[in-house]
């Protein structure tokens, strides 16, 4: 057995009879289906990367005396230095997909690391559920599981409370016995669920008393009886070729409705049971929400580095790079990428020791979240503005180069300031794939919403900012003068 999980092992683990549906068909094997196989291979390559002898120490750690090492995403940092070492491993993974795989396995590992750091919160609410969670964390870490999560209810009718939606729409507990609970209904949007081993089901949105049926959390394998994955359109499947769609053909991590058709979940997989407040506490009273969103910011640092490189090459390709206004735009893009990277360092450095563990700074995470969900579409828009028609004035596909009648025309008309025609077409197709294609557009939606709509993330920022400290500054100024002083001074 290898020292840690490998790509081949991960691929084998996905051939488990899971029920995935796309284009009206049931998928027999996600690892070979044209809608998913390249993304699955990209996920597998993460494990091959960590298993390479020269990377093992850097990318993995020994958990609890085990001989099998696990990805550092599962490591619970005990101090700042371990936090930095862990982050470097997460950066290396994100670089393999240029930041385009939002739900690489380290996302959920981070969420669970944070929740596990707050085990006392689970214990306070329900010791039996706390034990189930702690055991599951050990199992998931030891197995280096690829987990995803569905923690949001289907959008349904937003003018109604969750408990008032159509019966059996929102996933809820419909039964329980000595073996466990039975879950019926749907959750959105299980990103990466087609290539994950298991799914954490939970409830991040506020519930109110009386909605206890909806107030549960559990983890189940993707092939559990009754679970169906209803995939969105596959961008991988609609990719023309790797030359035409180098990003979407390989890194379309997929999103899906997860439907629970009376899924029986054993008690040792149930972490919250009919407890509205514990659903909130699982994420917000533990460092769980901090850790999952800190991981997202780490990944975004990589994606923005990629995008600013793309922006610069674009201006070189069309010969605008030396125009002062264009350089200013590039300078602003670079500043934004630099800001996001600085925020990542700040989140870590301004963290604190909480008991045994180092916990990144909560408000700094939310600051970064609020700023970046607004920033990402602006960055994409700036890149599009710099491009003009460059992304569109392109051959229909690589095949046009094979037609002798039009090939010389293509080579003439695709001349560039800096690139040979073939290289220019190659680059601009990659750029459009990343920022403007249906895949690129989904990414804009992802960065705007994966952590909640703006009113939600801004609410977290409001709730967690150090208002008292900042108010003291203001109060000091206001208490340094008053009206009477001014009136007195005026008399003299
Ligand atoms: C690409 C993608 C991948 C995702 N992957 C996952 C995943 O893997 N797992 C998971 O659990 N979730 C996932 N999500 C879901 C994501 O967490 C939600 O989209 C997000 O929390 C917002 O919820 P919503 O979609 O219901 O939008 P809503 O909350 O309905 O918000 C939509 C808009 O409606 C308006 N609005 C709604 N309610 C209010 C209000 N009370 N006050 C003011 N304005 C309001 C705002 O304009 C808001 O922007 C994913 C989403 C996307 C887009």
């Amino acid at each position: 057995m290898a020292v840690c999980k490998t790509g081949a092992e991960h691929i084998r683990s996905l051939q488990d009879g899971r029920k995935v549906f796309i284009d009206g068909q049931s998928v027999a094997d996600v690892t070979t289906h044209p809608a998913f196989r390249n993304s699955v291979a990209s996920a597998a390559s993460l494990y091959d990367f960590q298993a390479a002898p020269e990377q093992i120490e850097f990318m993995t750690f020994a958990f609890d005396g085990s001989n099998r090492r696990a990805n550092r995403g599962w490591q619970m940092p005990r101090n700042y230095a371990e936090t930095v070492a862990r982050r470097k491993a997460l950066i290396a993974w994100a670089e393999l997909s240029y930041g385009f795989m939002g739900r690489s396995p380290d996302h959920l590992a981070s969420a669970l690391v944070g929740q596990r750091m707050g085990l006392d919160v689970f214990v306070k609410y329900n010791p039996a559920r706390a034990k189930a969670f702690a055991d599951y964390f050990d199992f998931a870490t030891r197995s280096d599981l690829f987990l995803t999560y569905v923690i949001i209810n289907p959008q349904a009718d937003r003018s109604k409370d969750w408990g008032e939606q159509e019966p059996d729409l929102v996933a809820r507990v419909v039964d329980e016995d000595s073996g466990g609970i039975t879950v019926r209904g749907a959750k959105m949007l299980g990103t990466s669920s087609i290539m994950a081993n298991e799914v954490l089901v939970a409830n991040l949105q506020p519930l109110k008393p009386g909605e206890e049926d909806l107030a549960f959390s559990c983890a189940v394998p993707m092939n559990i009886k009754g679970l169906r994955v209803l995939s969105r359109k596959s961008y991988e499947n609609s990719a023309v070729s790797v030359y035409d769609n180098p990003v979407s053909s390989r890194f379309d991590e997929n999103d899906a409705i997860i439907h629970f058709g009376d899924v029986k979940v054993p008690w040792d997989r149930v972490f919250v049971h009919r407890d509205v407040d514990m659903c909130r506490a699982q994420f917000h009273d533990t460092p769980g929400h901090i850790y999952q969103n800190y991981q997202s910011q780490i990944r975004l640092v990589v994606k923005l580095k990629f995008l600013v490189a793309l922006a610069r090459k674009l201006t070189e390709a069309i010969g605008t790079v030396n125009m002062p206004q264009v350089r200013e735009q590039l300078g602003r893009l670079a500043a934004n990428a630099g800001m996001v990277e600085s925020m990542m360092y700040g989140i870590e450095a301004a963290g604190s020791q909480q008991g045994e563990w180092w916990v990144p700074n909560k408000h700094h995470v939310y600051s970064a979240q609020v700023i970046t969900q607004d920033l990402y579409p602006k960055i994409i828009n700036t890149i599009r503005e710099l491009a003009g028609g460059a992304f569109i004035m392109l051959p229909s596909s690589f095949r046009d180069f094979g037609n002798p009648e039009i090939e010389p025309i293509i080579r003439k008309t695709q001349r560039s300031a800096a690139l040979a025609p073939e290289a220019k077409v190659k680059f601009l197709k990659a750029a459009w794939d990343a920022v403007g294609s249906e895949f690129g557009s989904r990414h804009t939606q992802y960065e705007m919403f994966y952590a909640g709509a703006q009113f939600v993330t801004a609410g977290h920022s409001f709730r967690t900012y150090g208002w008292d400290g900042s108010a003291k500054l203001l109060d000091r100024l206001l208490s340094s003068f008053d009206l009477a002083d001014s009136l007195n001074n005026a008399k003299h």
Side-chain angles (χ1 to χ4, degrees):
M1 194 187 267
V3 184
C4 68
K5 186 170 169 178
T6 63
E9 270 176 56
H10 186 62
I11 287 185
R12 269 197 307 279
S13 73
L14 302 180
Q15 293 162 330
D16 59 358
R18 62 188 56 209
K19 290 252 179 214
V20 176
F21 294 82
I22 190 165
D23 298 327
Q25 308 281 319
S26 164
V27 175
D29 181 349
V30 288
T31 70
T32 56
H33 193 282
F36 311 118
R37 62 188 172 204
N38 294 344
S39 315
V40 167
S42 294
S45 73
L46 298 175
Y47 293 111
D48 281 336
F49 180 77
Q50 72 175 20
E54 67 278 15
Q55 299 294 355
I56 283 187
E57 186 60 39
F58 175 64
M59 290 301 300
T60 65
F61 76 114
F63 173 67
D64 218 10
S66 166
N67 292 333
R68 270 286 263 196
R69 297 174 69 91
N71 182 263
R72 282 199 190 270
W74 290 105
Q75 189 172 6
M76 296 166 70
R78 283 168 301 194
N79 50 47
Y80 175 65
E82 284 187 5
T83 306
V84 172
R86 179 180 181 275
R87 178 249 295 160
K88 287 181 178 169
L90 269 51
I91 291 264
W93 252 14
E95 284 178 349
L96 297 182
S97 71
Y98 315 97
F100 280 91
M101 290 180 82
R103 289 295 145 78
S104 48
D106 47 325
H107 183 73
L108 253 290
S110 299
L112 291 200
V113 155
Q115 292 181 23
R116 177 63 182 79
M117 287 177 177
L119 191 66
D120 55 323
V121 174
F122 286 79
V123 172
K124 190 179 84 186
Y125 282 89
N126 187 326
R129 305 283 55 85
K131 178 169 185 336
F133 178 75
D135 290 348
Y136 182 74
F137 180 83
D138 285 2
F139 161 72
T141 305
R142 231 179 272 282
S143 320
D144 210 351
L145 280 189
F146 188 156
L147 272 162
T148 186
Y149 57 22
V150 280
I151 54 181
I152 298 293
N153 293 321
Q155 207 171 26
D157 180 349
R158 293 301 252 122
S159 69
K160 292 181 178 165
D161 285 339
W162 297 118
E164 293 167 358
Q165 305 291 335
E166 283 293 299
D168 297 342
L169 196 164
V170 179
R172 67 191 170 102
V173 178
V174 291
D175 198 9
E176 64 185 79
D177 58 25
S178 59
I181 60 172
T182 303
V183 179
R184 184 187 302 159
K187 286 271 185 185
M188 77 179 208
L189 248 170
T191 299
S192 279
S193 54
I194 53 117
M195 57 176 113
N197 298 118
E198 303 217 353
V199 58
L200 174 76
V201 191
N203 201 94
L204 186 61
Q205 291 159 310
L207 294 173
K208 60 180 188 357
E211 294 178 332
E212 280 74 16
D213 286 357
L214 309 174
F216 70 98
S217 163
C218 60
V220 293
M222 290 304 301
N223 67 350
I224 195 167
K225 190 164 173 265
L227 188 152
R228 290 182 181 80
V229 178
L230 277 62
S231 168
R232 66 154 161 76
K233 174 182 175 178
S234 161
Y235 310 136
E236 174 177 334
N237 210 12
S238 35
V240 178
S241 68
V242 172
Y243 180 82
D244 288 278
N245 302 99
V247 198
S248 61
S249 64
R250 295 183 286 185
F251 305 111
D252 178 16
E253 60 187 342
N254 199 269
D255 313 284
I257 290 277
I258 306 293
H259 187 263
F260 301 86
D262 286 1
V263 171
K264 284 217 69 142
V265 186
W267 284 116
D268 61 1
R269 293 304 198 94
V270 179
F271 314 135
V272 178
H273 177 232
R274 291 184 185 281
D275 190 327
V276 169
D277 196 49
M278 193 176 170
C279 281
R280 180 199 56 76
Q282 177 176 15
F283 292 92
H284 291 299
D285 290 354
T286 71
H289 205 238
I290 303 174
Y291 258 93
Q292 72 195 48
N293 290 305
Y294 159 56
Q295 183 278 341
S296 299
Q297 292 301 320
I298 294 171
R299 175 199 51 83
L300 188 61
V301 167
V302 173
K303 197 181 193 181
L304 294 188
K305 271 192 180 167
F306 173 84
L307 288 176
V308 296
L310 184 156
R312 182 175 177 139
K313 195 174 173 82
L314 167 66
T315 61
E316 287 167 354
I318 63 174
T320 55
V321 68
N322 288 322
M323 297 176 181
Q325 301 88 333
V326 170
R327 289 182 92 87
E328 185 186 331
Q329 293 273 51
L330 290 173
R332 288 182 188 283
L333 283 178
N336 282 320
M339 172 183 70
V340 176
E341 185 170 348
S342 317
M343 287 195 292
M344 175 187 77
Y345 299 133
I347 287 168
E348 294 162 356
S352 57
Q353 196 74 36
Q354 296 186 15
E356 259 184 280
W357 317 115
W358 187 262
V359 178
N361 184 286
K362 194 177 209 164
H363 187 264
H364 286 3
V365 170
Y366 292 136
S367 299
Q369 221 173 44
V370 170
I371 288 167
T372 55
Q373 75 181 155
D374 193 44
L375 182 66
Y376 190 85
K378 289 183 181 150
I379 287 180
I380 297 296
N381 205 45
T382 303
I383 294 173
R384 292 173 75 132
E385 212 172 296
L386 290 170
F391 291 149
I392 311 299
M393 197 198 86
L394 292 170
S396 56
S397 80
F398 73 96
R399 290 189 187 87
D400 285 354
F401 281 104
N403 182 319
E405 189 178 339
I406 59 171
E407 195 238 333
I409 304 176
I410 296 172
R411 291 198 184 274
K412 180 72 121 188
T413 54
Q414 294 295 340
R415 280 201 187 154
S416 137
L419 298 169
E422 214 178 294
K424 180 189 168 196
V425 173
K426 176 182 179 179
F427 162 62
L428 288 174
K429 277 183 173 283
W432 180 245
D433 202 29
V435 305
S437 66
E438 196 173 358
F439 168 90
S441 183
R442 177 268 177 199
H443 269 271
T444 302
Q445 205 68 9
Y446 181 81
E447 302 296 355
M448 289 168 72
F449 279 101
Y450 74 82
Q454 290 200 357
F455 72 93
V456 174
T457 54
H460 294 322
S461 167
F462 178 82
R463 198 169 38 83
T464 56
Y465 185 62
W467 294 109
D468 290 349
S470 76
K472 269 187 198 149
L473 271 180
L474 178 60
D475 290 346
R476 188 153 60 82
L477 171 77
L478 295 178
S479 62
S480 68
F481 64 93
D482 59 21
L483 179 62
D485 291 344
S486 293
L487 290 173
N488 279 338
N489 289 340
K491 276 185 205 152
H492 299 120

